[in-house]
Amino acid sequence: MRIRKPTVVVLASLLAATLGTVTAPSVALGQPTSAVPGTTAAEPNQVTGLIVSQADGYATVAWTPVPGATDYQIERTPVDASDVATGPAVVVGVWRPNRQINNESPTFADAGFDPGLRFQWRVRARIGTAEQPYSAPVTGTTQQPWGDPAVPGENLRTQWETTKAAQYTSDVNEYAYTAEIDRLSDRVRVVEIGRTVLNRPINMLVIGYPAPPATPAAVAATSPLAVNCNVHGNEPGDREACLVLARKLAFGTDARTIDLLKNTTVLMVLTINGDGRAANTRGNSTGQDLNRDYSLIRQPETAAYVGMLRDYRPVAGYDGHEYGNSTAGDLPMLPPRHQNVAKQIFDESLDMIEGHMYVEGAKDGWWACPYGCQGGSGVGLSEETILRNTLGLKNTVNSLLELRSSGGQTRPDEGNSANNRRRKTYSALWTFSQFLDYHRANLPAIKKARGEAIEFQASNTGRLVFRGSRPIPLHPAPHPGEAGPRDDLPEPEMILDDAPCAYKLTEEQYNGARTDGPNGVGATVAQRIAAHGWKVVKGTDGYYVPLAQPERGLIPLLLDAQGAEEWVDGTRVYPTRTGRHNGPLTISGFACLSDATVNGPVTVRPGAILVATGTTISGPVSAAGATGVFLADSTVRGPVSISGTTGAVSLVDNTISGPVSVAVNNTGNDPALIAGNSVSGPLSCAVNSPAPVNIEVANSVNGPRSGQCASL
Ligand SMILES: [Zn+2]
């Protein structure tokens, strides 16, 4: 049940138009020299109503459709200031009906030219192979690269820009360019999130207005969005777009930019794979494809990224790539489809693509389509090692972005590599700018989806799927592209209907040396679990990783022997108690209550571990000196008191009638999670180390909130 949101889309485009975005063309710079919409054609089947609008690195060519047209050719001619041709006319584009979701208002984003030059455009229809008369011409001067050459900061240019796309920006020049942005703009902080295998810094730009929040937690509170600009070193187009976009966000004074940055924080990791970029290879220096490692985090690059996700908690993301299929659309996109991703995250991600990108793409002329648009049956599947799926399993709305790497039949003037590189990069710039607008307009829906997804995951309900995707039905015709990725439904051996309560790991599994990293040395499972941010409690007989937590969909993929690419074969621990229990219940050792009813109080003894999901307890619940307390999707008809816990505390999506007190829990590096609960009485937290968090999923509390929980 996908929810389409036409009003939101209208809002987004209104916002873009009224705030004068530099990426969404609304006013044609070139005055139409002839033929405005509705004008009668001078010749039969002649295109009329030609309008060309200039935007950042591209020109949107729009016209009135010709009845019976099979496709259209877009012609561009360089002209001087007097509109006299200075070079040959070239067909630069072919518009096909599968390009956009509405065929009544055809548009084509012409790109590949050197920004700032002046051109004439004409469009003609073809009926079958028969070419019809060209439209009257329209001339216009294309937009200069963003930024006044006379204004410090604005005048920065990348190596790619100064060489007119002959060279990509090197690592050295990336660092110099971003250091200058950091120095000259209060809005930007460059943070090194880690190092590559060969010790190159992995930098992230943190951008906010008037300045980015000071700490990762403060950034997380702004519901940030994240762009991963370059993971495959030989796919550099998106990275150049990020560098240009960074300059605009750092120095732009237009109302749209200020509004965007006042309301969130933009995170851009420019080059996670700096070694691969320098060598122009897909993998990192060890040959590892990093986009098959985001769950496993065997490599320092992916570990850095995942640690960043844990600390900054972006609510939405884009992951930039290039794609070699020359017959696909300009911009193949795909949501996280792994079936363990919460449906709310899948739905919102698909809506971002189909409800926003398809709609805006049809206005601006860019051809967004489902990844695999044509002949792509083997791509876009369910590997949780792919960032798109990893992010979804971390409850982040997101999409893959692929820039079609060659021009193909629809962009016949891209034999020139600079033309090709400019089209790719400016199409990425369009996408990332649209992503900012989508986030700005849809943040309440994104946060709602995320909150519900976290609550769903923590409830530990429903089957587990190790590999297998949700199907993506073709968008109603005219769909953008001929096909989507194949269904990729889970095979029976990839399904576990009866989910365990937790996984138990031995000392060796948890802390033992690993050989799956660079040079045969890998981080321990304990370190990788910490990077993902999961809660673990040490019992008397092993380390317990309960599924009653926000990344429930990801945990079994790495800890279960049935996983396709797991770390270890952990022991499944099933619930110890379901059904009805009359009278007081005292927990010692490890206990897991699932869909249970306890008619009496529950006492968790010192050193014990309680995991309860879907359980009703008449209460009270009291834990003093426990090792771990996990309570999710449950009802307590009485007070809850948790103190002196030494391992982990997690209260998610519970309904609690009594007062809730969380005090003097010393849980190491892992703060108590108190999120999405409804509490009828007071909520008080004191002397916990560290202070409890709600990871931006607010609690509903009728009584007063006090101490460390005052703002949860
Ligand atoms: Zn790629």
Side-chain angles (χ1 to χ4, degrees):
M1 289 306 114
R2 192 155 69 251
I3 304 159
R4 300 197 181 275
K5 289 175 287 187
T7 51
V8 168
V9 168
V10 168
L11 232 171
S13 57
L14 266 179
L15 184 78
T18 53
L19 298 183
T21 165
V22 286
T23 54
S26 52
V27 181
L29 287 186
Q31 285 294 317
T33 54
S34 169
V36 293
T39 309
T40 310
E43 299 178 66
N45 297 328
Q46 184 182 18
V47 164
T48 59
L50 188 67
I51 295 175
V52 181
S53 312
Q54 303 303 331
D56 216 343
Y58 69 96
T60 299
V61 182
W63 60 92
T64 304
V66 172
T70 310
D71 63 11
Y72 297 87
Q73 290 178 307
I74 294 91
E75 178 204 72
R76 186 203 320 141
T77 308
V79 297
D80 63 17
S82 308
D83 291 342
V84 175
T86 58
V90 176
V91 172
V92 292
V94 173
W95 183 100
R96 290 174 173 167
N98 65 355
R99 190 176 177 86
Q100 63 188 71
I101 56 173
N102 60 326
N103 280 187
E104 305 76 40
S105 304
T107 57
F108 187 92
D110 180 27
F113 50 79
D114 190 15
L117 299 181
R118 185 168 176 82
F119 299 100
Q120 168 193 288
W121 287 269
R122 299 192 302 170
V123 174
R124 71 180 171 195
R126 290 192 297 194
I127 298 175
T129 54
E131 292 161 350
Q132 308 300 313
Y134 266 118
S135 67
V138 171
T139 56
T141 302
T142 60
Q143 279 189 11
Q144 294 282 353
W146 187 88
D148 186 335
V151 176
E154 288 193 26
N155 64 1
L156 294 170
R157 294 292 182 270
T158 64
Q159 183 179 355
W160 181 83
E161 290 177 294
T162 55
T163 62
K164 296 185 182 298
Q167 299 169 8
Y168 290 110
T169 304
S170 70
D171 52 354
V172 171
N173 285 329
E174 174 201 310
Y175 299 139
Y177 176 88
T178 52
E180 274 300 276
I181 289 181
D182 191 353
R183 186 176 70 83
L184 293 167
S185 172
D186 291 341
R187 300 177 199 171
V188 177
R189 182 167 64 246
V190 178
V191 175
E192 184 181 311
I193 62 169
R195 292 263 170 147
T196 65
V197 172
L198 299 182
N199 208 34
R200 283 189 168 84
I202 301 170
N203 284 341
M204 179 167 76
L205 302 181
V206 184
I207 312 176
Y209 184 89
T215 65
V219 171
T222 69
S223 299
L225 69 173
V227 178
N228 193 32
C229 304
N230 183 227
V231 61
H232 291 143
N234 58 349
E235 301 173 0
D238 309 81
R239 171 172 170 270
E240 297 296 342
C242 284
L243 291 168
V244 173
L245 180 60
R247 182 172 80 235
K248 293 171 63 177
L249 294 175
F251 303 107
T253 53
D254 59 289
R256 168 183 169 270
T257 298
I258 302 298
D259 176 69
L260 287 170
L261 295 178
K262 266 185 179 171
N263 283 282
T264 190
T265 312
V266 178
L267 307 173
M268 286 198 281
V269 176
L270 295 167
T271 319
I272 184 179
N273 183 14
D275 301 342
R277 175 77 281 275
N280 199 38
T281 57
R282 178 180 176 91
N284 70 355
S285 64
T286 74
Q288 174 63 46
D289 181 343
L290 296 177
N291 204 28
R292 298 295 182 277
D293 196 53
Y294 283 103
S295 57
L296 294 159
I297 48 176
R298 294 163 294 192
Q299 303 290 324
E301 295 92 346
T302 44
Y305 201 86
V306 163
M308 181 280 287
L309 295 173
R310 175 199 60 205
D311 296 341
Y312 288 84
R313 297 193 285 277
V315 299
Y318 251 88
D319 185 32
H321 294 260
E322 298 188 17
Y323 180 47
N325 184 342
S326 66
T327 58
D330 296 328
L331 295 165
M333 300 181 184
L334 198 69
R337 321 167 59 198
H338 191 294
Q339 287 202 2
N340 278 6
V341 173
K343 188 172 182 304
Q344 293 90 339
I345 294 296
F346 172 78
D347 286 348
E348 185 62 35
S349 302
L350 193 57
D351 191 65
M352 171 170 75
I353 296 168
E354 298 191 355
H356 185 89
M357 295 296 179
Y358 286 8
V359 171
E360 297 304 314
K363 290 178 191 167
D364 295 347
W366 288 110
W367 184 3
C369 66
Y371 186 38
C373 317
Q374 211 158 349
S377 61
V379 300
L381 305 181
S382 67
E383 299 98 313
E384 70 279 2
T385 53
I386 295 173
L387 182 60
R388 167 177 58 86
N389 285 319
T390 312
L391 281 173
L393 293 163
K394 290 175 175 290
N395 306 300
T396 302
V397 170
N398 84 99
S399 175
L400 170 81
L401 175 66
E402 298 278 351
L403 314 176
R404 188 186 66 239
S405 58
S406 60
Q409 294 176 359
T410 63
R411 292 188 180 271
D413 192 34
E414 292 192 9
N416 176 317
S417 64
N419 292 353
N420 172 261
R421 291 171 175 185
R422 284 187 286 251
R423 187 267 305 165
K424 285 187 296 192
T425 284
Y426 289 118
S427 70
L429 182 60
W430 176 85
T431 306
F432 298 151
S433 299
Q434 285 294 335
F435 177 42
L436 295 174
D437 289 335
Y438 157 80
H439 178 276
R440 177 71 182 98
N442 294 278
L443 188 54
I446 297 168
K447 289 169 75 170
K448 181 168 183 284
R450 178 178 177 272
E452 290 177 0
I454 286 171
E455 291 174 5
F456 163 75
Q457 297 287 13
S459 74
N460 190 19
T461 50
R463 69 181 190 178
L464 295 172
V465 171
F466 294 97
R467 282 278 165 88
S469 297
R470 294 178 191 275
I472 298 182
L474 267 188
H475 192 281
H479 26 73
E482 297 300 327
R486 73 160 191 251
D487 274 356
D488 187 36
L489 294 171
E491 301 294 332
E493 68 271 18
M494 287 286 113
I495 298 171
L496 179 60
D497 283 314
D498 189 13
C501 174
Y503 288 91
K504 188 170 67 177
L505 307 184
T506 65
E507 180 68 35
E508 174 59 24
Q509 287 173 326
Y510 190 63
N511 281 321
R514 308 260 323 168
T515 58
D516 56 353
N519 304 314
V521 181
T524 64
V525 166
Q527 290 167 327
R528 298 185 207 191
I529 285 178
H532 279 301
W534 304 344
K535 293 190 184 305
V536 183
V537 284
K538 185 179 184 190
T540 53
D541 56 349
Y543 295 86
Y544 288 85
V545 185
L547 293 194
Q549 40 184 330
E551 296 187 8
R552 179 255 191 184
L554 183 57
I555 292 168
L557 311 184
L558 291 160
L559 300 185
D560 195 295
Q562 205 174 333
E565 291 183 71
E566 79 276 22
W567 288 325
V568 291
D569 300 344
T571 302
R572 293 175 188 167
V573 180
Y574 278 96
T576 55
R577 189 178 291 275
T578 60
R580 182 172 295 269
H581 174 88
N582 289 320
L585 184 64
T586 299
I587 307 294
S588 47
F590 175 91
C592 179
L593 278 54
S594 174
D595 297 321
T597 301
V598 180
N599 290 317
V602 172
T603 303
V604 186
R605 290 181 50 78
I609 302 167
L610 170 66
V611 181
T613 55
T615 288
T616 300
I617 301 169
S618 59
V621 172
S622 63
T627 299
V629 181
F630 293 75
L631 197 58
D633 185 32
S634 291
T635 299
V636 180
R637 300 202 178 94
V640 171
S641 169
I642 301 170
S643 65
T645 313
T646 56
V649 175
S650 178
L651 300 174
V652 179
D653 190 28
N654 300 293
T655 302
I656 302 172
S657 57
V660 174
S661 168
V662 177
V664 205
N665 297 287
N666 193 335
T667 49
N669 294 322
D670 182 28
L673 176 61
I674 304 177
N677 300 288
S678 295
V679 180
S680 297
L683 170 64
S684 67
C685 301
V687 205
N688 297 288
S689 178
V693 298
N694 69 6
I695 59 169
E696 296 77 55
V697 180
N699 297 282
S700 162
V701 182
N702 276 347
R705 303 175 209 221
S706 61
Q708 294 169 318
C709 291
S711 60
L712 298 190

